[in-house]
Amino acid sequence: MPGSTPQLHSVPGRPPVTDLSSQSASESFLDDVLSGLRHTQKFLSSKYFYDETGDRLFQRIMECDDYYLTRCEMEIFRDFTGDLARPLNIHQGAFDLIELGAGDGTKTRHLLEFLNKRAADFRYLPVDISGHILDVLTQNLSVTLPDVEVYPCEGDYFDALQRICRISERRKVLLFLGSNIGNMSIEDCSTFCCRLASMLDPGDLLVTGFDLKKDPRTVLRAYDDSDGITREFNLNLLRRINEELQADFDLSAFEHFQTYDPGSGACRSYLISQQEQTVTIAGERILFRRHEPLFMEVSRKFSHSDIDALARENGFTQISEVCDSKGWFMNAVWERNP
Ligand code: AVI
C-alpha cells in the first residue's frame, strides 16, 4: 500500500506458496474429506467446491436462468447503489472496504464505481480462498477502475481479516455478499457473526447478502437447474478428490439430489450412491451403501425477522436493508454495537 501501511499482498502476482503451506493445505483437505466420509451421515465440506473447474462451474451457475440469487443482488448493487451506500457514511473519513469471499467482484464493481465517483477515501481489500479468482478480479479492476486501490488477500476469511486488522486502523466496512452466509449451519452462522463482531470496532459496518424465503419451487429450481450445472458442480468435488487425493470415485455412480424445507429455509444438496460401492482415498476404503446420501451443501434462506434476530444475538444492530424489486434478496447493513 502506498504510504506507511505495509502491503498485504503483492499485486498482481501473489508471493510463491511455500512447499510447507501447500503441503499442509492438501493435508487438511485430506483430513476433512476422510473425517466427513467416516461419519455415519457422510458429508463433504462445500468450501472445497472451488478449485479452478469449480470456479468456472459456479460462474455458469450464476449465469443460468434458474439461479436467481446473483441477478437479484446485482440489481441491488446496480440500481440501488445510493440506498446501499447511504449508511456507509462515505465522507466521514478514510475507510477500508473489505470483501469476504469476493469471487469475481462483478456486483461490487458498481459500489466501487459509485464510491470512486464521489471521491470517497477508501481502499478495497477483496479476500478469497481462491487465488485464481482473485487474480481475475485484480486484473479486471486494474483496467476498469485503475484509480481504486486494490489489495487482494488470499486465504481463510479470519486469517485475512486478522492480518488486515493488525495493519489498518481505518474504519471498516465488511462485505459478505452472495448469500455465502447461507452455506453455514445455524450454529456456525452465529459463531461466524459473533467472531466478526469481536474483530471489529464499535461503529464498523457489515453488509451481508441474504437470500430470502420465497416460493419453495423457485428456490428448489435454483439448485436443481434444468441445464444440470449444479449437478456437475457437486460431482466436480468428487473429481477433485480423485485428482488431488489419489481417490477412485466413479462419478457415474452418484446422482445429484436436492431438497428444500420451506419451514427452516434449508436447501440441501446430496449425491446419492447408485449402488453399493467402495471408494479408496489415499489408501483408505470407504463403503457406500446403495442409495446412501452424501451430504454436500446447505444453502439457507431467511425471513426478515431471522435476519434481524441474527444481528441482535451476535453483537450487531441492523441499520438498513435494501431488497431487489421482487423482494427475493436482501443486503442488510449491520453496525457493530458499542
Ligand atoms: C456460494 N453460495 C452462496 C451458493 C449458494 O447459492 O448456496 C453456492 C451454490 N451451490 C449450488 N449453487 C450455488
Side-chain angles (χ1 to χ4, degrees):
M1 277 178 203
S4 58
T5 320
Q7 269 215 334
L8 290 165
H9 231 302
S10 58
V11 183
R14 298 186 309 285
V17 177
T18 64
D19 286 342
L20 187 66
S21 64
S22 63
Q23 188 188 19
S24 68
S26 81
E27 272 173 7
S28 56
F29 181 28
L30 177 63
D31 286 351
D32 287 351
V33 166
L34 285 178
S35 72
L37 295 181
R38 286 178 194 136
H39 215 264
T40 329
Q41 304 213 342
K42 292 185 175 62
F43 65 92
L44 292 171
S45 167
S46 61
K47 74 177 180 188
Y48 293 115
F49 279 159
Y50 303 92
D51 65 345
E52 206 171 323
T53 310
D55 286 346
R56 215 164 345 148
L57 287 167
F58 186 53
Q59 287 292 334
R60 286 181 55 206
I61 288 177
M62 291 192 291
E63 286 158 15
C64 90
D65 287 346
D66 294 325
Y67 192 77
Y68 57 84
L69 286 79
T70 313
R71 277 188 302 279
C72 290
E73 196 175 35
M74 179 65 98
E75 183 194 343
I76 295 173
F77 272 74
R78 190 191 52 227
D79 299 347
F80 304 111
T81 331
D83 294 338
L84 200 59
R86 197 163 303 118
L88 309 190
N89 295 323
I90 63 172
H91 292 120
Q92 286 183 10
F95 63 96
D96 282 336
L97 184 69
I98 304 161
E99 181 167 7
L100 305 178
D104 70 353
T106 26
K107 287 169 272 195
T108 318
R109 192 174 47 81
H110 295 285
L111 180 62
L112 297 177
E113 230 167 66
F114 183 94
L115 298 175
N116 195 41
K117 261 196 202 136
R118 280 153 189 83
D121 183 4
F122 78 105
R123 304 180 291 208
Y124 176 51
L125 297 94
V127 176
D128 207 289
I129 198 147
S130 163
H132 169 70
I133 207 92
L134 277 179
D135 284 345
V136 174
L137 169 64
T138 310
Q139 292 293 348
N140 287 345
L141 286 176
S142 70
V143 176
T144 53
L145 285 169
D147 296 341
V148 173
E149 289 180 49
V150 182
Y151 299 96
C153 308
E154 181 181 345
D156 170 81
Y157 298 160
F158 288 104
D159 290 347
L161 194 53
Q162 220 156 34
R163 271 184 280 146
I164 294 166
C165 289
R166 263 203 301 270
I167 62 164
S168 164
E169 296 197 329
R170 290 181 173 199
R171 185 164 74 85
K172 294 182 180 53
V173 177
L174 281 192
L175 301 180
F176 190 49
L177 309 181
S179 193
N180 284 318
I181 199 159
N183 296 130
M184 299 174 195
S185 67
I186 296 177
E187 302 74 40
D188 288 351
C189 186
S190 284
T191 310
F192 178 81
C193 294
C194 215
R195 211 168 152 199
L196 285 184
S198 75
M199 296 173 82
L200 296 175
D201 290 317
D204 284 346
L205 300 177
L206 172 62
V207 183
T208 308
F210 290 96
D211 191 20
L212 298 171
K213 287 177 177 167
K214 59 184 66 61
D215 182 338
R217 280 164 295 224
T218 305
V219 174
L220 203 48
R221 239 192 343 265
Y223 295 87
D224 200 8
D225 62 282
S226 46
D227 299 330
I229 308 167
T230 313
R231 171 184 173 276
E232 255 187 84
F233 183 60
N234 279 270
L235 287 170
N236 179 59
L237 180 49
L238 303 191
R239 186 208 49 76
R240 180 179 182 188
I241 294 170
N242 282 351
E243 267 179 24
E244 295 182 27
L245 303 177
Q246 292 78 50
D248 60 358
F249 274 106
D250 173 1
L251 272 57
S252 67
F254 289 86
E255 270 302 320
H256 174 235
F257 182 73
Q258 195 70 36
T259 68
Y260 178 57
D261 170 13
S264 67
C267 190
R268 294 194 169 87
S269 52
Y270 298 89
L271 288 175
I272 309 291
S273 175
Q274 296 302 290
Q275 61 203 39
E276 181 160 324
Q277 54 183 320
T278 302
V279 176
T280 306
I281 303 171
E284 180 161 338
R285 287 161 64 81
I286 307 282
L287 174 72
F288 283 85
R289 285 172 284 108
R290 183 165 184 243
H291 297 152
E292 184 173 353
L294 169 55
F295 172 58
M296 302 296 283
E297 182 178 51
V298 66
S299 300
R300 292 196 307 117
K301 312 300 162 195
F302 299 81
S303 66
H304 287 246
S305 59
D306 292 334
I307 298 167
D308 196 51
L310 192 63
R312 275 187 286 104
E313 287 160 13
N314 294 291
F316 291 95
T317 301
Q318 182 158 316
I319 57 167
S320 164
E321 60 179 63
V322 188
C323 293
D324 65 295
S325 54
K326 289 201 191 85
W328 283 5
F329 199 94
M330 181 204 285
N331 285 108
V333 184
W334 297 354
E335 184 175 314
R336 160 79 154 79
N337 290 340

